[in-house]
Amino acid sequence: EEESSQVMELTRLWTKDSTPKNTESWLIANSMKDVEEDIIVSYADDSEGHKGYVYQATNWLYTGMGAGGYQWQVKGENKHSRHLLDKYENIEEAKRELGDKLYKEKISKKHRYVYFNCNKRRKRELKKKLKYPIKKYPKG
């Protein structure tokens, strides 16, 4: 929690299949140079067949599977659940307003990767604070 202001999430990495080999790892490595935060987190969606090989190739730490769970969705709207209910005070108000249009959608567990974007001394400090165990990379 004391490092929460130093955390950034990397989301939505996508390239055309026709791009040259290692394009994804090149993009990630070069993007890290412009990031000010010391801790970067990203996820690979196992339900889509992703293991996070691009994070493995760029030396991220693998910390296991995220929790998964549920998120709220509204039928007919394509918004991320984080912003879906921004205009409501709480979920109860959203339920009253949206009725049957509001539903819970299951979220699959995802592979979680962490990258420390800092010098060696700071990396050692952050590794000690990491609340997840570092595990072997998933293959398959």
Side-chain angles (χ1 to χ4, degrees), residues 3-116:
E3 299 291 348
S4 62
S5 67
Q6 285 299 312
V7 179
M8 174 185 176
E9 184 179 353
L10 174 66
T11 60
R12 303 289 185 246
L13 174 65
W14 179 87
T15 60
K16 286 184 177 181
D17 289 339
S18 61
T19 57
K21 188 176 180 178
N22 302 324
T23 296
E24 294 94 344
S25 56
W26 183 89
L27 286 168
I28 288 175
N30 283 283
S31 296
M32 295 303 119
K33 296 172 186 174
D34 293 329
V35 174
E36 293 180 11
E37 288 82 2
D38 289 348
I39 305 164
I40 304 164
V41 179
S42 196
Y43 298 88
D45 192 347
D46 196 52
S47 69
E48 296 291 328
H50 301 177
K51 300 291 183 200
Y53 296 130
V54 68
Y55 306 118
Q56 296 174 23
T58 51
N59 297 314
W60 290 52
L61 302 173
Y62 178 65
T63 60
M65 300 291 276
Y70 293 89
Q71 66 184 7
W72 290 102
Q73 291 292 336
V74 177
K75 290 176 189 165
E77 291 191 26
N78 189 18
K79 290 184 182 177
H80 191 282
S81 62
R82 268 190 215 130
H83 305 293
L84 190 68
L85 304 175
D86 284 349
K87 63 183 177 181
Y88 302 101
E89 196 68 34
N90 55 45
I91 192 65
E92 297 307 319
E93 180 185 344
K95 285 178 184 178
R96 283 192 302 276
E97 186 79 24
L98 297 168
D100 291 342
K101 288 180 71 177
L102 185 66
Y103 68 98
K104 268 187 173 179
E105 179 179 69
K106 187 173 172 114
I107 302 171
S108 62
K109 292 182 177 185
K110 294 174 178 55
H111 296 285
R112 182 181 45 243
Y113 289 87
V114 177
Y115 185 82
F116 295 134

